[in-house]
Amino acid sequence: MLSEKTSWTEALRSKAAFNDFITSYFMTHKELTGAYDTPYYYEYYTVRLDSRDGLIINLTTGITATAGEVIGELPSKETRKMSIEDFRQLILNKKFADYRMSLADVFKTVAGVPSK
């Protein structure tokens, strides 16, 4: 098993190493949370690891209402399930420009949260 000091970018080199890294990460952290918020729009996400379903990504998105404004079908909640290997392939195929990104930054990007 990889040490906790091993970076996620080093672990990307192999399926087994990345699986070990992600499993170890979620054993220690249990859940990863993040948010994107502007005066008009918000998005919150949590990621956790499930032994049966793999990575579970819960997204909540919505529009911030101003006084007197009526908003329809929001907030929207969505759950995505992804295997650790599918997540690894998504990272590899996205070819992140900055490999110094943290794992939280990668989850944020994969979840589709725009940069500020």
Side-chain angles (χ1 to χ4, degrees):
M1 183 172 263
L2 294 174
S3 74
E4 198 158 322
K5 293 183 180 183
T6 302
S7 76
W8 66 271
T9 55
E10 291 172 25
L12 278 172
R13 294 180 185 149
S14 82
K15 180 179 178 176
F18 193 70
N19 187 67
D20 287 349
F21 180 84
I22 293 294
T23 301
S24 175
Y25 179 88
F26 280 103
M27 285 177 70
T28 304
H29 298 93
K30 305 295 180 212
E31 182 176 85
L32 180 89
T33 60
Y36 173 75
D37 208 347
T38 71
Y40 310 103
Y41 173 84
Y42 62 89
E43 182 166 305
Y44 304 110
Y45 66 93
T46 60
V47 183
R48 63 183 174 80
L49 182 62
D50 181 83
S51 61
R52 186 184 69 228
D53 292 328
L55 295 167
I56 309 293
I57 304 168
N58 292 302
L59 300 168
T60 301
T61 58
I63 296 173
T64 306
T66 58
E69 187 176 19
V70 177
I71 298 178
E73 302 285 324
L74 295 173
S76 171
K77 294 183 180 188
E78 182 179 347
T79 299
R80 299 177 186 172
K81 297 177 183 178
M82 181 180 295
S83 73
I84 293 172
E85 178 57 15
D86 286 346
F87 180 60
R88 178 177 164 265
Q89 289 300 318
L90 183 62
I91 293 170
L92 290 172
N93 292 327
K94 269 209 179 266
K95 296 179 175 66
F96 290 99
D98 185 358
Y99 281 98
R100 293 168 297 189
M101 294 173 72
S102 70
L103 187 60
D105 293 334
V106 173
F107 275 115
K108 182 177 173 181
T109 303
V110 169
V113 178
S115 298
K116 287 187 177 182

